[in-house]
Amino acid sequence: MHFTTIAPLLLLATKQVAAHGLITRIHGANGVVMPGLTVVDGTPRDCPSGACGGQKDTAIIRDPEMGTSEASALGRTMSGPVDPKRVIVQFMGSSAQKRAHTRHFPQARQLANDAASIFTTAGGTVLNGAQDLADATPLGNVVKGAQSTVDTMTAGATGTKPGVMTPDGTVENGLQEYAGKGAAHGLPSVSGDGYITVIYHQVNQDGAGPLHADVDATSGGTDPKAFKPAKVVENIPGVAGASTTSTMDFEVKIQVPAGTKCTGVVDGIENVCIVRVRNSAISGPFGGSAAFTN
């Protein structure tokens, strides 16, 4: 096969790479619950593959891409660069929605990451496709039960909390469910002792932990240089972004850096902080983001 034939195939493969873990919810100390900033309603949460649509709203977050036409400071999903306004504006209500707009950029990829993505995605497609088929049989619950057992054992060995298997038939509806809630109750808040809690949905094997977190208190998720490291005090199981787990939800607790004051503005909405989490998977990193205030 000539290179002129191989190159388009490699390009196609890299453009079909999808990420495998995201923040679905953030739970504020003030009782406010808000969807993560990559969430797309209608995404199935009970299946692991791109074929079933389960990877549609998870983010690839790579430092070299941030601030370019490829990705925002929050990474990119299959739909393009993550724009924090999309979710924040809908959550805060109709008056903010009228001001919202979304940019669209062409999709390119870094050579080193994408070389890894081609091979890991190809292998993952076969593995996840087989898992889709297994889940559809009477043995599906047996497979999931075995995964849950392995996850619990791994969590115990690594000092992390085990996750909760996503129930069959679960479909994302957070944008619709929480639309406008922020108009009356505001954004989720950090606790008095400086912690925030998010729910992280691991789609499949390379969406695992450990997760690393950063907090942006000033730019509303738009400036890569505004993010400062934050400590993940309750993490999820995994080694270098991999584990045997799929379609599982984990509670992740993050300590906001001391002295943080949320001054970011997102489309006229003030006092916004953004938290971003990601793993270290070689074909990623994969992760997500959420908004909060103090």
Side-chain angles (χ1 to χ4, degrees):
M1 183 180 289
H2 296 292
F3 178 77
T4 53
T5 303
I6 296 175
L9 294 177
L10 295 180
L11 180 62
L12 177 60
T14 61
K15 285 182 177 293
Q16 292 179 339
V17 172
H20 308 129
L22 74 153
I23 292 176
T24 54
R25 300 287 187 274
I26 179 168
H27 291 255
N30 56 353
V32 174
V33 179
M34 179 180 177
L37 299 181
T38 68
V39 162
V40 173
D41 279 0
T43 303
R45 297 293 184 220
D46 61 348
C47 66
S49 72
C52 74
Q55 301 173 10
K56 180 169 61 175
D57 59 356
T58 61
I60 296 176
I61 309 173
R62 298 173 178 168
D63 287 333
E65 295 180 351
M66 294 179 186
T68 71
S69 61
E70 300 174 71
S72 73
L74 305 181
R76 56 177 166 87
T77 67
M78 298 176 73
S79 300
V82 177
D83 185 350
K85 292 193 299 293
R86 181 183 65 89
V87 174
I88 294 174
V89 165
Q90 183 165 344
F91 178 77
M92 293 301 291
S94 59
S95 61
Q97 289 179 34
K98 295 177 181 178
R99 301 192 299 269
H101 61 279
T102 303
R103 296 179 296 168
H104 297 279
F105 298 104
Q107 298 293 292
R109 300 292 183 264
Q110 271 76 48
L111 180 61
N113 285 121
D114 289 340
S117 295
I118 292 170
F119 295 106
T120 57
T121 299
T125 297
V126 174
L127 178 62
N128 298 149
Q131 186 169 340
D132 283 344
L133 293 175
D135 288 349
T137 70
L139 294 176
N141 288 331
V142 176
V143 173
K144 289 184 176 181
Q147 285 183 330
S148 181
T149 299
V150 171
D151 171 69
T152 300
M153 294 172 61
T154 303
T158 58
T160 57
K161 286 186 175 181
V164 177
M165 188 65 66
T166 307
D168 289 342
T170 301
V171 177
E172 182 60 61
N173 68 344
L175 296 183
Q176 179 179 350
E177 180 179 359
Y178 295 102
K181 298 290 187 183
H185 305 291
L187 294 170
S189 69
V190 66
S191 69
D193 51 358
Y195 295 98
I196 53 173
T197 300
V198 301
I199 303 301
Y200 180 87
H201 177 72
Q202 184 176 334
V203 179
N204 59 18
Q205 288 78 13
D206 59 2
L211 298 175
H212 307 280
D214 300 281
V215 169
D216 164 22
T218 59
S219 82
T222 61
D223 181 3
K225 296 180 180 179
F227 283 85
K228 306 301 180 184
K231 183 179 181 180
V232 181
V233 295
E234 291 183 6
N235 217 312
I236 71 173
V239 177
S243 73
T244 62
T245 296
S246 61
T247 62
M248 190 167 285
D249 298 299
F250 297 87
E251 185 176 282
V252 177
K253 189 174 181 180
I254 300 160
Q255 185 174 22
V256 177
T260 297
K261 183 178 180 180
C262 299
T263 61
V265 178
V266 178
D267 209 56
I269 301 164
E270 300 179 341
N271 305 320
V272 180
C273 275
I274 304 292
V275 60
R276 180 183 69 197
V277 301
R278 50 180 164 166
N279 67 11
S280 56
I282 189 172
S283 54
F286 303 128
S289 50
F292 67 97
T293 189
N294 61 0

